[in-house]
């Protein structure tokens, strides 16, 4: 008799209500997984593992599209997307579930097994790390079976007909959904807290600098408001990486292994670094994915040790031409040996703007190589340097179709006015930045086209040149007269005399080119 009622109830439940139950059950599955994962450690977090697996499996062009479209919000978008896909599948499964065909439960089990597989595919995972995902799956299925069993809708006081029964079930599902959400958020927060190296970081005092960076003259900043500051405040520094959760590496856990084509393999602990001269350098980092006019470029003062000094102890073979650096989370970059050993003083940086590296910028140590895009040089959370050859090894982005070499191209950007901005007639100051790291910027020219016409190239006023490895700020005074839409265009010339090319190139495979233009309205 019970069987019959249940069957009838389930068939009688509207599809949207059942879909709701599916979403609620999935929330419980994810929430319990997150909560149970706390004592296991970050490697047992199935949600992050799935996200990371998605990042790894995403084709290069799609990754590039995601970075240029979402920029630094790419990880948030991915996390929301993963949860949305789970919700949609769970909803569809539950909507189709019948007594004979438990589609919703099958979907949850399949998702759970995928989660387990993702966990096991990550570096450093143990068999036991699938326990949280299994526990989550069992709870998710149990909750779905319970919600759809009819036990809520069949309670004796359900006399008000289908509408009431549906509403009561929807409310129950909502409660379950909230519980799953709270469990998940709590679990994620506890995991983050447990793994966090923020205390380790706070306790770290930067080494006393042996070779200080030259002081930064105020003249690096030209007149005119709205320009970025020459040194980017750490909080505003762009961030790009493939790490869905920021790797947490404590100093006493950190090792840097140097091996491959060397006379003797060396492994440094963090304290071993004190033997080397501490160097401070101001270097502008740039991402290869920075579109023309984009903001994936920032400048900081870095404190660290010359990579050259660290490598010298190992004795580099003369036929090695690449250093393959690997991060704690498995990212790799291939950097020419020359760029790491010549006079540009590539750094193993431990400090940024006078503070320990922020975790998201590579704590406790990362590479900073003047003149090269980050994807071939700036490995964060770096733990391994292998001396090898470009004809033997490939790095993360090179495997996906990016160029094996990534020297930064001569480019410039307009920061003022803003695209589509309004400018009132009278005197105004426009400005922006220009960069050609390792060569340096010699000149910046600006062209302002009036409505229906074309202006002449005029030299911009340049902020003082700090070094060839840093960007240069520019500004230009202008009289706004004629009302209407104007176009402003900028181009830089580097110290080799090369003028920034007008030819548009995509960020793939080795960096965007083209002139940055902005349309503004004089009123
Ligand atoms: N471990 C790791 N290091 C990494 C990356 C990464 O994905 N993982 N991305 C690189 C890229 S593409 C860039 S542009 C720089 C960005 O450094 P930032 O986030 O400190 O600005 O880091 C580089 N180092
Ligand atoms: Mo990058």
């Amino acid at each position: 008799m019970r069987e019959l009622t249940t069957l009838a109830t389930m068939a009688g439940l509207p599809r949207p209500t059942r879909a709701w139950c599916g979403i609620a059950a999935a929330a419980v599955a994810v929430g319990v997984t997150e909560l149970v994962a706390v004592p296991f450690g970050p490697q047992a977090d199935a949600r992050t593992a799935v996200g990371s697996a998605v990042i790894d499996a995403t084709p290069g062009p799609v990754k590039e599209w995601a970075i240029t479209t979402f920029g630094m919000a790419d990880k948030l978008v991915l996390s929301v997307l993963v949860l949305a896909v789970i919700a949609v599948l769970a909803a569809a499964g539950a909507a189709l579930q019948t007594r004979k065909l438990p589609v919703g439960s099958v979907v949850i089990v399949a998702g759970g097994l995928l989660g387990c597989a993702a966990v096991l595919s990550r570096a450093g995972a143990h068999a036991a790390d699938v326990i949280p995902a299994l526990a989550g799956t069992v709870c998710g299925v149990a909750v779905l079976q319970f919600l759809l069993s009819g036990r809520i809708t069949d309670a004796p006081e359900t006399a008000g007909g289908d509408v009431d029964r549906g509403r009561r079930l929807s409310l129950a599902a909502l409660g379950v959904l909230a519980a799953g959400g709270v469990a998940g958020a709590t679990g994620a927060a506890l995991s983050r807290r447990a793994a966090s190296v923020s205390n380790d970081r706070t306790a770290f005092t930067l080494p006393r600098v042996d070779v200080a960076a030259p002081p930064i003259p105020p003249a690096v900043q030209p007149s005119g408001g709205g320009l970025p500051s020459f040194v980017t405040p750490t909080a505003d520094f762009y961030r790009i990486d493939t790490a869905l959760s920021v790797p947490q590496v404590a100093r006493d856990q950190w090792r840097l292994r140097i091996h491959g084509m060397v006379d003797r393999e060396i492994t440094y602990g963090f304290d071993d670094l004190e033997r080397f001269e501490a160097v401070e350098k101001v270097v502008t980092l740039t991402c290869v994915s920075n579109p023309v006019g984009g903001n994936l470029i920032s400048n900081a003062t870095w404190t660290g040790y010359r990579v050259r000094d660290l490598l010298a102890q190992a004795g580099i073979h003369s036929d090695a031409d690449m250093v393959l650096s690997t991060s704690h989370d498995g990212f790799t970059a291939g950097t020419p040996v020359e760029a790491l050993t010549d006079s540009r003083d590539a750094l193993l940086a431990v400090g940024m703007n006078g503070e320990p590296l922020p975790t998201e910028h590579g704590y406790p140590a990362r590479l900073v190589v003047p003149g090269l895009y980050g994807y071939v040089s700036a490995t964060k959370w770096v733990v391994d340097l292998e001396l090898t050859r470009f004809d033997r090894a490939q790095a993360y982005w090179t495997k996906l179709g990016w160029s094996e070499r990534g020297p930064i191209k001569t480019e410039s950007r307009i920061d003022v006015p803003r695209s589509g901005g309004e400018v009132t007639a009278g005197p105004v100051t426009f400005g922006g930045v220009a960069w050609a790291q390792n060569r340096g910027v010699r000149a910046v020219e600006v062209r302002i086209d009036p409505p229906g016409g074309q202006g002449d190239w005029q030299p911009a006023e340049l902020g003082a040149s700090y070094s060839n490895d840093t960007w240069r700020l520019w500004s230009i005074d202008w009289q706004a007269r004629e009302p209407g839409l104007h176009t402003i265009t900028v181009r830089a010339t580097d110290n080799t005399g090369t003028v920034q090319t007008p030819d548009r190139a995509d960020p793939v495979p080795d960096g965007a080119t083209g002139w940055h233009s902005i349309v503004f309205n004089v009123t």
Side-chain angles (χ1 to χ4, degrees), residues 220-236:
V220 294
Q221 202 78 33
S223 60
L227 295 186
S229 64
F230 176 74
V231 171
T232 312
T234 304
D236 298 342

Side-chain angles (χ1 to χ4, degrees), residues 58-317:
T58 304
V62 180
K63 281 190 212 195
E64 175 58 33
W65 170 84
I67 293 176
T68 37
T69 311
F70 304 118
M72 287 163 258
D74 57 348
K75 292 180 188 64
L76 182 65
V77 171
L78 174 67
S79 301
V80 171
L81 205 68
V82 167
L83 291 180
V85 168
I86 292 175
V88 167
L89 291 179
L96 296 174
Q97 171 137 332
T98 60
R99 198 64 217 251
K100 283 218 184 91
L101 287 176
V103 187
S105 297
V106 168
V107 166
I108 291 176
V109 169
L113 292 180
L114 268 177
C116 293
V119 164
L120 291 177
S121 76
R122 310 313 299 169
H126 304 287
D129 292 329
V130 303
I131 291 175
L134 292 178
T137 307
V138 169
C139 294
V141 169
V143 164
L144 185 66
Q145 292 301 119
F146 174 75
L147 288 175
L148 296 185
S149 69
R151 248 167 269 176
I152 294 171
T153 46
D154 288 353
E157 64 272 34
T158 314
D162 279 348
V163 179
D164 260 11
R165 296 171 18 176
R167 174 170 309 155
R168 181 169 333 158
L169 184 56
S170 293
L171 279 176
L174 195 65
V176 168
L177 178 75
V182 169
T186 310
L190 287 177
S191 285
R192 222 175 295 129
R193 162 106 61 99
S196 169
V197 292
S198 77
N199 289 338
D200 189 63
R201 180 177 174 269
T202 322
F204 174 43
T205 319
L206 285 189
R208 202 179 39 78
V209 172
D210 299 298
V211 185
I216 296 166
V220 294
Q221 202 78 33
S223 60
L227 295 186
S229 64
F230 176 74
V231 171
T232 312
T234 304
D236 298 342
F237 202 99
Y238 86 91
R239 174 193 166 196
I240 288 293
D241 54 62
T242 59
L244 196 52
S245 72
V246 179
Q248 307 286 321
V249 187
R251 276 171 294 147
D252 64 0
Q253 308 268 299
W254 182 86
R255 297 283 180 280
L256 181 65
R257 176 171 172 237
I258 300 179
H259 62 113
M261 300 167 76
V262 292
D263 294 337
R264 57 210 100 72
E265 198 176 309
I266 299 185
T267 301
Y268 295 113
F270 202 82
D271 291 342
D272 297 326
L273 299 175
E274 289 167 13
R275 303 209 304 265
F276 298 93
E277 249 184 352
V279 176
E280 195 184 53
K281 263 187 90 77
V282 185
V283 180
T284 304
L285 292 194
T286 309
C287 182
V288 70
S289 302
N290 193 39
V292 171
N295 60 1
L296 300 180
I297 174 169
S298 303
N299 187 42
T301 304
W302 306 94
T303 311
Y305 306 91
R306 292 183 201 93
V307 178
R308 182 174 65 240
D309 299 347
L310 303 181
L311 292 179
Q313 305 281 310
I316 306 172
H317 292 179

Side-chain angles (χ1 to χ4, degrees), residues 5-15 18 97-98 148 165:
T5 330
T6 309
L7 254 178
T9 309
M10 205 185 291
L13 285 173
R15 283 239 156 117
R18 279 185 283 157
Q97 171 137 332
T98 60
L148 296 185
R165 296 171 18 176

